[in-house]
Amino acid sequence: MARSPQITATMPKVSHGFMIAVYAHQACPAHGTGLPEQPPPAKIAGDTLLPPNRPDSSSGIQPVILLRPDRLPIALAFLPFLLTSGMPIKADEPSAWKKHVVNHRSPFEAVGVADINRDGKPDIFCGDSWYAAPDWTQHKVRDVPPGTNPHYHEDFADAPLDVNGDGKIDIVTCAYFSRRISWAEQPADPTQPWPEQTIDTPGSMETAYLVDLYGDQTPVLIPNVGGQVLLYELVSRSPTVEWMTRRLAAEGAGHGVGHGDVNRDGRLDLITPMGWYEQPVDRTGAWVFHPEFQLGTASIGILGHDFDGDGDTDVVWGMGHDFGLHWLKQSTDAEGKRVWTKEAIDTSFSQVHTLHLADFDGDGEMDFVTGKRIYAHASEPGATAEPCLFLYTYDRSASKWIKHVVYSGDPAPLAPLNPEERDAMKDFRPGSAGTGLQMAIHDLDGDGDLDIVAPGKSGLYWFENPRTTPGP
């Protein structure tokens, strides 16, 4: 896997001044197109950062201006002019991963990948639409309204699954404000509206995901429901669809959920911010809760995996609404009891709301990808900082984590001071990518490695894995 270079940010110096960055998008680029490449270096003349030349108006990308504080009233007066001029802004930070635009105006934060139209190519489902490969033709198939809080839409999960056994991919979804878990059924013509069937209305949910929890190919939906720990097992597909609900003791409930074989008995356990639930030998038995740690407002998912190769399962999680990416190293004391040692992996960015485990570099060891969920809450620490996606691998020989840049964008310095007035589509520059509530990991281009699909309030994108040969 090509190693991404370290990123260092440098800003032009303006004597006795500060920067005002003005971003606007004039021309709506077609799906699948990127943003302009970084222009030649600009020159500072007086108080203003001047571009080397005025670009063609088709670029659609607008200026970056540097002003002294005493020029602020003038800048505000000329703001309409600045928003209609044609100076380019800088491109994304360098990365070996190539960003592709699916729909830069999609506001939805959930995503799934599957062959929806059965043509042998992986398609993308996000929010109200699915996008047909390879050119990502959009097909709107359902209505997804904004929530009671209009900064969010009622699409908090998009999990592909043939629910009713008819050979067609359906979508299992959930919604925070309506408190609903449901599935959208694919009709005979996948471009027509997909009717939704309610599974349950257990409460407000951050998101949900499917996993083969019992190792027998039975789909189990794990929603992160406030104050509850629930499992939904698909026990019948035909002639009727039936989901069985299993309610675990609520003592482990919190923001965040995940899974992993914590005690190495060959069965997947459930990991929460308050500890872990041990899967019983008999699936009808009780899940014993072990309150062995507290993670705080954790990500979804929480990863359980032996990263350091010492034979036991470690736990990795992010702070979903704050700064911090951490891990708990599992070991045992002299009496054979589990000991958890907390260490920081990366504390440079916030809103680390979702993590995905996969072998991205083809070396046979599991890595994970995460990043910033843009405006998880618009009022949180670091909410307007640079959007980003990072890949992490663990170097067992050196006993350290290695960070690889998948994407690093620009902050939103002109975002309104009032968080209620913030809007990711307006505040961040066009083409900004984040993790949303989910990411999808899939070989989209059929070249043998895993790519990343990233939805969010600032658009829907996929990132092409740069690996060209097996191994790192």
Side-chain angles (χ1 to χ4, degrees), residues 165-176:
D166 64 355
K168 300 190 296 292
I169 291 295
D170 311 300
I171 295 295
V172 183
T173 185
C174 69
Y176 183 92

Side-chain angles (χ1 to χ4, degrees), residues 221-277:
L221 183 74
I222 303 178
N224 190 204
V225 186
Q228 304 176 65
V229 182
L230 300 171
L231 305 174
Y232 291 86
E233 180 180 343
L234 181 59
V235 295
S236 175
R237 300 176 189 252
S238 180
T240 59
V241 173
E242 296 180 18
W243 295 82
M244 183 181 71
T245 306
R246 177 174 295 278
R247 184 179 297 274
L248 278 57
E251 56 190 317
H255 187 297
V257 68
H259 64 273
D261 184 1
V262 176
N263 57 355
R264 310 292 282 186
D265 63 356
R267 294 184 293 274
L268 289 179
D269 307 304
L270 202 64
I271 306 173
T272 78
M274 310 299 290
W276 62 283
Y277 292 85

